[in-house]
Amino acid sequence: QSLQSVYSQNYLQVHDQIERCATIYGQWLCKFDHRRAGGLSIAYGWNNLGNLALADGLREQAVTHYEHALEAAPDQPLLLHNLGSALRQRKDHPAAIAALENAVEREPGYLDAWLQLGITLGSDGQAERAVLRHRRMWWELGRGVPSLAIVVPA
């Protein structure tokens, strides 16, 4: 057996185990009433499932998991950011922009959410708005305005 075939076989076994664990974890989370079971803990459980799905290229599943997370904790910037990132990856720019705008409004110092917002606006053909949001980000963070090249795609 070649090293590559052993690696591929091991990868598939590990991937299957992770998938089974994620399924069991998701079923477990579904049993909780997030309003009574500590919404933030349940929210971060759904967020973790979203992260696993997104890492596996399962954008639709990731979006669903992030939406479940936001049902449990609707005001959490991290969850809004992750939802926005997943929506951007599936090219749903208007919904991604809304989620990311919500994240930066709730936490003005959230640099990653600002950067994702700028990238998403640029990808959506809104370069001028991306530049304005980028400038606001630096104002919110109390810094000078750096090069704007990172938010305006070529």
Side-chain angles (χ1 to χ4, degrees):
Q1 233 179 358
S2 75
L3 183 60
Q4 184 176 3
S5 69
V6 170
Y7 174 80
S8 296
Q9 188 175 18
N10 287 340
Y11 171 81
L12 290 174
Q13 289 174 347
V14 169
H15 185 269
D16 287 345
Q17 290 173 350
I18 290 171
E19 197 171 282
R20 280 195 300 274
C21 288
T23 300
I24 292 166
Y25 190 45
Q27 291 168 347
W28 178 78
L29 285 171
C30 286
K31 292 179 182 180
F32 285 94
D33 178 352
H34 60 78
R35 292 173 298 272
R36 289 188 291 171
L40 198 54
S41 298
I42 299 301
Y44 282 104
W46 283 114
N47 183 66
N48 293 340
L49 283 177
N51 292 343
L52 283 172
L54 199 58
D56 210 18
L58 304 171
R59 292 181 189 108
E60 295 302 319
Q61 234 180 334
V63 168
T64 299
H65 293 320
Y66 294 138
E67 287 171 342
H68 285 308
L70 284 162
E71 288 172 12
D75 297 333
Q76 290 297 309
L78 172 69
L79 305 177
L80 291 161
H81 167 261
N82 288 349
L83 175 63
S85 295
L87 290 166
R88 180 185 61 79
Q89 289 183 36
R90 81 170 193 197
K91 308 264 188 266
D92 186 352
H93 295 136
I97 290 166
L100 293 164
E101 288 273 3
N102 199 350
V104 298
E105 290 304 318
R106 294 184 185 289
E107 190 174 324
Y110 194 172
L111 181 61
D112 287 343
W114 280 107
L115 293 174
Q116 283 292 325
L117 177 59
I119 291 166
T120 306
L121 287 165
S123 297
D124 195 42
Q126 301 183 48
E128 285 183 35
R129 188 168 170 216
V131 169
L132 291 174
R133 296 306 278 163
H134 190 74
R135 285 183 179 157
R136 178 165 173 223
M137 172 193 73
W138 287 107
W139 181 81
E140 292 284 355
L141 297 174
R143 302 179 186 171
V145 178
S147 167
L148 301 173
I150 62 168
V151 296
V152 181

